[in-house]
Amino acid sequence: MEFFEGGTGETFLHKKVSLGSDFYSGEDGKIETLEQRDRGIEPQWAVSVSPHIRMGKTTSGIMWTVSASLIPVMLLSIYNFGLRGLIITLISVISCVVVEAICQKAMGRPIAVADGSAVLTGILMAFVIPPGVPYWLPAVGAVAAIFINKELMGGLGFNVWNPALVGRAFLMAAFPVAMTAAWVPSVDWSKSALNVYLAPGALDAVSTATPLYILKHYGLGALTEKFGGLTTIYRDFFVGLRPGCIGETSSGLILLGGLFLMVRGIITWHIPVSTIGTVALLTWIFGGESWFTGQPLVAVLSGGLMLGAFYMCTDYVTSPTMKSGQIVFGMGVGLLTVLIRLKGGYPEGVAYAILLMNCLTPALDEWFQPKRFAPPKQAPVAAVK
Amino acid sequence: MAGSTFPKGGVHPEEHKELTEHLAIEEMPAPAEVVLPLSMHFGAPAKPVVKKKQEVQEGEVIATVEKALGATIHSSVTGVVKAIEPRPHPTMVRCEAVVIETNPEAPPRKYEPEDWRKLTGEQLLARVKDAGIVGLGGAGFPTHVKLSPPPTAKVDTLVLNGAECEPYLTTDHRIMLEQPEKVVEGVQILLKVLGIKRGIIGIELNKPDAINAMNKAAQKSSGSDGATVQVQGMVVKYPQGSEKQLIYSLTQRSVPGGGLPFDVGVIVQNISTALAIYEAATLNKPLYEKIATFSGRAIKRQANLKVKVGTLLSDVVAYLGGTTDDLLKIVSGGPMMGFAVSNIDVPVVKTTSGVLFLNKDETDTDTFGPCIHCGWCLEACPMGLLPKEVAIYVEAGKGHLTEKFGVFECFECGCCAYVCPAKRPLVQFARLAKIAIKKHG
């Protein structure tokens, strides 16, 4: 199309100008007139299309706000797993940014790492991998998340799947041992065991099972035995001082971050509530020995459900835009999660549930469209043709 | 008073009305010369009936539209025709214009008031036509055409648009505050022309003083001629003043896509238009003066000014003491739907509701990024359209396939682009889509 030269189409829009002082006659601040323009002084005002005012929010503002809302989770993971969690996260963030910059450079796109989307992907990807993985692993995940899933699909806004989860899924498929045997128990700071977690050889010694693994393979009895009663389980899972992925352990802090994002108007309740509600309901019905004996609260607080529901499902790019579609999307994620957890091969299913529902997002956008203010009396011309 | 509103979409931009809402309308003296573009209305440009060097009086006809849709243009000053040539225009690039050099000695023309109630509906309509009145809200549709709906339309309600939902603009507000009786009388004239009994004046709740003044004036006049004029408060939300949204807000009737207000029995007029109609009917005064807001933080003095149509912005700026050094953008109209002007030598025309001088804190000239599918534009669109989809299609060169998204129902209010976090020019994409569809057949 002749209006657009480059991918970002900046050609027609903004004539950003500098206001040269020679254009004004100084003290009286009077504007030059046509005659003066004819003498060779061109008009110097910015000319762009309406509207001329904008709401304050920006893409990068959203990305950085979401990243900032994860700081409490990050701090807890440092307390929980030692500096290892922070180092893995930093490696993940830096590799995502570097991979994105290299891809954009190679593809001739403007370098847009400052928009914060790669940083957020890096944080989220680190948060869904175990703290005990080798340090090079997140860098490999970044290639899958950013290069394959994002930049090859057209860059920000064009990816089908959530980049962080693609990174995780790739690592799970390629390095299953590292990804499942690298669980680290909480740091006992009184024994100052920090060195243990920084030493690369110490990983096997500290591997342990996650709560959902115990629940799936040994039942609720084994879980309560290990943690000491349902109330203790709820408390530990809510506070987050337990083994698990770097950023998944504390449901409480994730909930706090999610509520912060809702207050800031970045996410709405639709996806988190429908996702979590579906998991709770289906676990209660089908999760126990017989019907209606499941433990919905354990299912909701454990695994990556809270992080998935508040931070992965709500990714603008890969979730439906209409509220109605979002509710269906959330219910789908919930259904698939319970299905994988109860009948699938993994103890935890949120990541795959979200990735599967991401495939349905374009269809949900097609099916759930806004209601017209007042539709035309006749069908549009194109439909008649 | 509980406010009514439209069912979906809309945004709440910062109002910035505090800059000018307390300023009484002041009259700017006639400038040394006026530039009267021959296209100040919707429809064909008018044809000049004066020659170069000819003397013209204030209020004299200088251009007419005989056959096609259009409106008569009158001289706004007494003086001599200096030239008839293309000149810069606020919304078009250039337009043929009659340039008149003002005779500073000439006394202002006097008008004798007369009782409009003695005139018939047809006579009043003829006066509206002769006065060259167009819709003063911005589109400039010839008012006499709008007041002659086809006989099949069963019009029963006149809606007067006092929403003034665009930020910065305060002219309608000041008119309602300072001359409520004239506006209400204008409504009664309109009711007589249309032969109907019901008039509703919709005013946003952020102008309680105007609601109060208009209410008083409406009550005083109520009962005469059996017509009722009623004031209705509306929720403050942009675009409350859009025709379809306004009609729904005040009458709960939905104008179908591709339809016109008279399809649901309504005719909409603007506050300034009602005042112009009052002046045309009672004084036989043509429309050649325009009340407009000159605002924004980059002009030394903000004002609600009554200026001669054809006054150049450079003269207005000089009258208001100049601009500040951080002027970044000049917008003719409101910030949501107005046009940025690149040249200060454009005239104030009949449809100019305001001119804004914006500095870098008030306007936005950032470049845009890719769509992140946040869906905010879908929620903001008052028509329930899909701005982001239209934009993606246009960017992919498939603009001609966007008719299914209802692009022709888009009236370019700008809500979608206002909320877009990626700063995408969604209104411009919609315009390009319309062009692409028309080009494609």
Side-chain angles (χ1 to χ4, degrees):
Chain A
M1 193 157 187
E2 67 267 38
F3 299 104
F4 296 96
E5 315 262 311
T8 52
E10 285 149 4
T11 41
F12 74 94
L13 181 67
H14 294 302
K15 202 175 137 200
K16 180 82 179 162
V17 289
S18 64
L19 291 163
S21 55
D22 56 338
F23 188 67
Y24 296 96
S25 48
E27 302 82 35
D28 58 353
K30 204 178 158 223
I31 287 180
E32 305 298 321
T33 57
L34 192 64
E35 285 71 38
Q36 275 148 321
R37 200 199 69 158
D38 289 343
R39 290 207 308 263
I41 307 166
E42 281 299 306
Q44 298 283 297
W45 303 289
V47 178
S48 67
V49 296
S50 64
H52 304 284
I53 49 173
R54 302 297 194 118
M55 190 171 69
K57 290 208 172 76
T58 61
T59 303
S60 56
I62 292 167
M63 299 294 173
W64 290 111
T65 308
V66 177
S67 302
S69 74
L70 288 165
I71 289 174
V73 180
M74 186 73 248
L75 293 177
L76 181 94
S77 85
I78 295 172
Y79 180 79
N80 201 10
F81 302 120
L83 287 179
R84 204 179 170 93
L86 180 67
I87 294 169
I88 297 271
T89 309
L90 284 178
I91 292 171
S92 175
V93 168
I94 293 166
S95 1
C96 282
V97 170
V98 169
V99 170
E100 180 160 285
I102 292 171
C103 290
Q104 285 171 340
K105 181 83 185 160
M107 293 178 190
R109 294 189 186 132
I111 309 279
V113 288
D115 66 18
S117 64
V119 171
L120 181 58
T121 297
I123 294 173
L124 287 173
M125 186 171 70
F127 277 16
V128 291
I129 57 182
V133 296
Y135 288 131
W136 50 266
L137 209 63
V140 177
V143 175
I146 301 288
F147 173 60
I148 298 173
N149 177 56
K150 190 176 169 190
E151 292 302 325
L152 278 189
M153 290 198 183
L156 178 66
F158 294 96
N159 50 307
V160 176
W161 295 283
N162 184 309
L165 291 180
V166 166
R168 180 198 154 107
F170 177 78
L171 294 178
M172 280 291 272
F175 309 99
V177 177
M179 286 293 284
T180 50
W183 305 111
V184 176
S186 299
V187 174
D188 188 349
W189 289 92
S190 60
K191 289 176 188 161
S192 69
L194 191 58
N195 289 338
V196 174
Y197 303 104
L198 292 175
L203 288 176
D204 288 341
V206 295
S207 69
T208 176
T210 60
L212 273 177
Y213 185 84
I214 300 169
L215 185 66
K216 187 178 176 92
H217 293 280
Y218 306 103
L220 187 67
L223 191 69
T224 45
E225 199 177 301
K226 185 168 167 70
F227 280 84
L230 267 181
T231 343
T232 325
I233 292 180
Y234 294 153
R235 196 196 61 214
D236 284 358
F237 282 27
F238 192 77
V239 175
L241 297 175
R242 60 177 176 90
C245 293
I246 291 171
E248 282 182 358
T249 57
S250 170
S251 304
L253 289 180
I254 293 166
L255 186 67
L256 197 72
L259 291 176
F260 171 74
L261 293 182
M262 282 188 202
V263 171
R264 293 296 297 265
I266 290 174
I267 63 171
T268 55
W269 59 268
H270 300 80
I271 288 181
V273 167
S274 59
T275 307
I276 294 167
T278 306
V279 169
L281 184 74
L282 293 180
T283 306
W284 177 57
I285 298 175
F286 302 110
E289 300 287 314
S290 60
W291 284 21
F292 301 104
T293 58
Q295 292 295 329
L297 210 51
V298 175
V300 167
L301 295 176
S302 64
L305 184 65
M306 294 292 269
L307 192 71
F310 280 101
Y311 283 93
M312 311 288 194
C313 291
T314 54
D315 173 27
Y316 286 144
V317 176
T318 55
S319 66
T321 42
M322 293 300 296
K323 303 289 173 244
S324 40
Q326 288 178 353
I327 290 175
V328 174
F329 178 86
M331 285 162 60
V333 171
L335 174 71
L336 290 171
T337 301
V338 174
L339 198 66
I340 295 170
R341 280 186 181 181
L342 297 182
K343 301 286 170 203
Y346 294 99
E348 156 70 335
V350 179
Y352 290 104
I354 296 171
L355 287 172
L356 284 169
M357 285 309 289
N358 284 160
C359 308
L360 267 183
T361 294
L364 289 171
D365 272 341
E366 189 75 26
W367 295 333
F368 295 94
Q369 295 203 349
K371 197 165 164 274
R372 291 278 180 90
F373 169 69
K377 275 185 284 190
Q378 298 147 341
V381 184
V384 176
K385 278 188 222 163
Chain B
M1 189 188 282
S4 53
T5 191
F6 52 93
K8 61 180 298 156
V11 294
H12 293 96
E14 277 181 60
E15 292 178 23
H16 297 288
K17 293 193 191 259
E18 71 283 353
L19 290 172
T20 50
E21 65 186 351
H22 57 282
L23 301 170
I25 297 166
E26 70 181 274
E27 197 161 344
M28 183 185 153
E33 70 168 37
V34 291
V35 177
L36 295 156
L38 295 173
S39 200
M40 293 197 254
H41 48 254
F42 186 88
K47 293 209 165 51
V49 295
V50 289
K51 297 242 155 29
K52 203 173 162 181
K53 295 194 178 145
Q54 183 180 333
E55 278 190 28
V56 290
Q57 297 297 310
E58 184 179 330
E60 192 181 319
V61 175
I62 57 159
T64 57
V65 182
E66 285 306 331
K67 287 176 190 139
L69 191 65
T72 310
I73 294 167
H74 304 77
S75 173
S76 55
V77 292
T78 301
V80 182
V81 176
K82 199 172 137 191
I84 300 174
E85 63 185 18
R87 284 292 185 101
H89 186 280
T91 56
M92 300 173 222
V93 177
R94 260 161 194 262
C95 170
E96 199 76 18
V98 176
V99 184
I100 300 168
E101 200 174 286
T102 313
N103 172 10
E105 314 285 298
R109 188 173 156 186
K110 290 270 182 291
Y111 291 97
E112 292 302 318
E114 54 181 307
D115 189 6
W116 61 270
R117 288 187 169 81
K118 288 179 189 146
L119 302 171
T120 65
E122 285 78 42
Q123 284 170 318
L124 287 169
L125 186 62
R127 285 205 170 182
V128 169
K129 186 174 187 221
D130 293 343
I133 296 175
V134 297
L136 298 178
F141 194 81
T143 302
H144 66 274
V145 181
K146 204 172 185 179
L147 292 178
S148 325
T152 47
K154 292 185 181 62
V155 173
D156 60 3
T157 306
L158 174 84
V159 162
L160 201 65
N161 182 1
E164 201 161 50
C165 54
E166 277 266 15
Y168 291 97
L169 304 185
T170 53
T171 49
D172 289 353
H173 185 182
R174 289 312 303 184
I175 290 170
M176 290 190 284
L177 214 55
E178 293 174 30
Q179 313 175 29
E181 295 83 10
K182 290 182 185 173
V183 176
V184 171
E185 219 164 320
V187 174
Q188 287 171 323
I189 295 164
L190 281 161
L191 292 178
K192 182 163 183 178
V193 171
L194 293 165
I196 57 175
K197 298 289 178 202
R198 183 180 177 218
I200 307 174
I201 303 168
I203 305 170
E204 277 192 352
L205 291 172
N206 59 355
K207 313 176 203 21
D209 45 354
I211 294 178
N212 204 6
M214 291 296 289
N215 233 337
K216 269 187 201 150
Q219 272 161 10
K220 216 187 289 172
S221 74
S222 228
S224 58
D225 315 328
T228 58
V229 179
Q230 161 203 346
V231 176
Q232 172 69 48
M234 300 187 294
V235 172
V236 183
K237 187 161 74 173
Y238 179 88
Q240 191 72 264
S242 143
E243 215 166 50
K244 289 183 180 183
Q245 274 62 34
L246 185 74
I247 291 170
Y248 186 89
S249 192
L250 297 175
T251 67
Q252 277 73 52
R253 297 177 198 175
S254 310
V255 182
L260 289 167
F262 61 67
D263 290 338
V264 293
V266 180
I267 297 248
V268 181
Q269 292 291 349
N270 183 271
I271 296 285
S272 307
T273 318
L275 182 67
I277 285 167
Y278 164 84
E279 287 183 344
T282 60
L283 305 172
N284 217 351
K285 182 183 170 185
L287 175 66
Y288 59 79
E289 286 173 327
K290 175 74 198 189
I291 300 167
T293 302
F294 295 88
S295 188
R297 287 179 174 81
I299 188 157
K300 292 267 168 70
R301 181 162 80 86
Q302 293 85 16
N304 291 304
L305 282 188
K306 186 177 190 179
V307 300
K308 306 279 182 193
V309 170
T311 305
L312 294 179
L313 283 188
S314 46
D315 289 327
V316 177
V317 169
Y319 177 72
L320 292 175
T323 55
T324 60
D325 283 348
D326 57 355
L327 172 67
L328 180 60
K329 197 192 264 184
I330 301 176
V331 175
S332 168
M336 294 296 285
M337 286 184 80
F339 292 82
V341 298
S342 64
N343 193 316
I344 195 71
D345 290 290
V346 295
V348 171
V349 296
K350 288 177 183 178
T351 52
T352 307
S353 44
V355 181
L356 309 178
F357 298 81
L358 305 173
N359 64 26
K360 67 174 184 340
D361 298 330
E362 295 175 281
T363 186
D364 192 300
T365 52
D366 290 345
T367 50
F368 65 94
C371 175
I372 56 166
H373 304 268
C374 62
W376 294 351
C377 55
L378 277 62
E379 267 176 67
C381 180
M383 299 304 286
L385 309 178
L386 290 154
K388 77 172 179 92
E389 294 292 331
V390 173
I392 290 167
Y393 270 63
V394 171
E395 265 189 318
K398 306 269 182 207
H400 56 284
L401 300 176
T402 55
E403 193 162 5
K404 60 180 171 181
F405 303 122
V407 274
F408 284 111
E409 283 173 60
C410 170
F411 59 94
E412 303 175 12
C413 64
C415 289
C416 50
Y418 174 79
V419 298
C420 181
K423 311 281 175 206
R424 291 167 70 74
L426 296 169
V427 176
Q428 187 68 4
F429 282 126
R431 289 183 189 132
L432 295 175
K434 289 177 195 177
I435 295 168
I437 296 168
K438 281 177 186 157
K439 223 194 233 171
H440 208 255

